[in-house]
Amino acid sequence: MNFKATPLSAGLYLVATPIGSARDITLRALDVLASADVIAAEDTRTARKLMDIHGVALNGRPLVAFHDHSGDGAVTRLVAEIASGKSVAYVSEAGTPLIADPGFELGRAVAAKDLPVTTAPGPSAVIAALTVAGLPTDRFAFVGFLPAGKTQRETEIAALRDVPFTLVFYESPKRVHGLLLSLREVLGDARDAVVCRELTKRFEDVSRGSLAELSDAFSGRTVKGEIVVLVGRAGAEEVDDAMIAQALQEAMKTMRIKDAATTVAGALGLPRRQVYQLALTLET
């Protein structure tokens, strides 16, 4: 399928690209890539290959590199292109730009000039991992990459210890065992966790278990590919229905049922819907 260029208004278009399978790109993303006056990419080789796969021709349009080390000059030039009336599409190497990927400085600079910034949404390793992990998804916190140093890494984990959200981390394959050990050291052996590797790719692998089980499983293991580590919310795995019911009965002495469910769910780190359904059975 060949995509033909159609006029785009001036602005910055943040285009999500596949995290693995080239077929995961959206039709709108291809339309934008076929139509933008300028294409900026974290890795121009990856961008060119993706466009070739989908029959999107450059036709003489500039394909320029833009990444974390591009500097202020590259930002200034791209903002100037947009200010002059051109459309600029930006793609990171994989996934959604700005989500632990370059593009933040460019997006902020364009917005600061009151120029349009829009998105062609699509693949994200965060969302892909959450969908397959089997951990609560109603509330989650994306942490991204933690520091490589053990002390600083564990200090940051300690600050997240009591957060009642599923935690999502990115990590390199060489450091994933170290991350699991630090998580185990700070959060304890029993916390549920999941390690997702090479999502949407040929050798996709999802490992589930406690932090103790996973840190042991990855000890001495050679790991390759992109890694997402998810950790279950604080306290969720230790709360049974009897404890929830007791907390609800106490809260419902002074609160309406909906407010009691919200309060208890927040305090115990549980999905509100689950707590509310239990509250309904207590009311009858």
Side-chain angles (χ1 to χ4, degrees), residues 106-222:
L106 176 59
R108 184 167 65 173
V110 173
K113 294 292 185 181
D114 202 26
L115 296 168
V117 179
T118 189
T119 181
S124 167
V126 180
I127 303 303
L130 283 164
T131 61
V132 300
L135 295 174
T137 58
D138 58 315
R139 293 190 295 178
F140 64 90
F142 173 58
V143 184
F145 288 96
L146 288 176
K150 183 177 185 293
T151 300
Q152 189 176 0
R153 179 172 66 227
E154 293 186 358
T155 297
E156 294 202 15
I157 293 171
L160 300 166
R161 178 166 40 209
D162 298 320
V163 174
F165 301 165
T166 293
L167 305 175
V168 187
F169 304 89
Y170 284 171
E171 190 51 280
S172 75
K174 293 182 179 180
R175 294 203 302 259
V176 64
H177 183 239
L179 173 63
L180 290 169
L181 287 175
S182 289
L183 289 167
R184 179 180 183 177
E185 177 69 23
V186 178
L187 304 180
D189 288 354
R191 187 82 72 94
D192 289 335
V194 181
V195 178
C196 299
R197 184 178 65 85
E198 293 287 83
L199 288 171
T200 79
K201 300 178 184 178
R202 180 181 178 185
F203 297 106
E204 174 176 313
D205 178 72
V206 179
S207 301
R208 302 178 179 88
S210 67
L211 284 173
E213 291 167 339
L214 288 174
S215 60
D216 289 344
F218 279 83
S219 178
R221 177 178 170 183
T222 299

Side-chain angles (χ1 to χ4, degrees), residues 194-274:
V194 181
V195 178
C196 299
R197 184 178 65 85
E198 293 287 83
L199 288 171
T200 79
K201 300 178 184 178
R202 180 181 178 185
F203 297 106
E204 174 176 313
D205 178 72
V206 179
S207 301
R208 302 178 179 88
S210 67
L211 284 173
E213 291 167 339
L214 288 174
S215 60
D216 289 344
F218 279 83
S219 178
R221 177 178 170 183
T222 299
V223 183
K224 297 181 180 180
E226 306 295 327
I227 305 289
V228 184
V229 176
L230 305 95
V231 179
R233 62 183 61 183
E237 68 279 359
E238 300 173 359
V239 179
D240 58 24
D241 282 352
M243 294 174 64
I244 302 170
Q246 183 179 358
L248 280 170
Q249 287 169 342
E250 188 64 29
M252 289 166 62
K253 291 177 180 178
T254 57
M255 300 180 188
R256 296 180 305 169
I257 184 170
K258 288 184 178 180
D259 294 334
T262 299
T263 300
V264 171
L268 298 181
L270 295 170
R272 182 186 177 279
R273 180 177 296 180
Q274 173 190 342

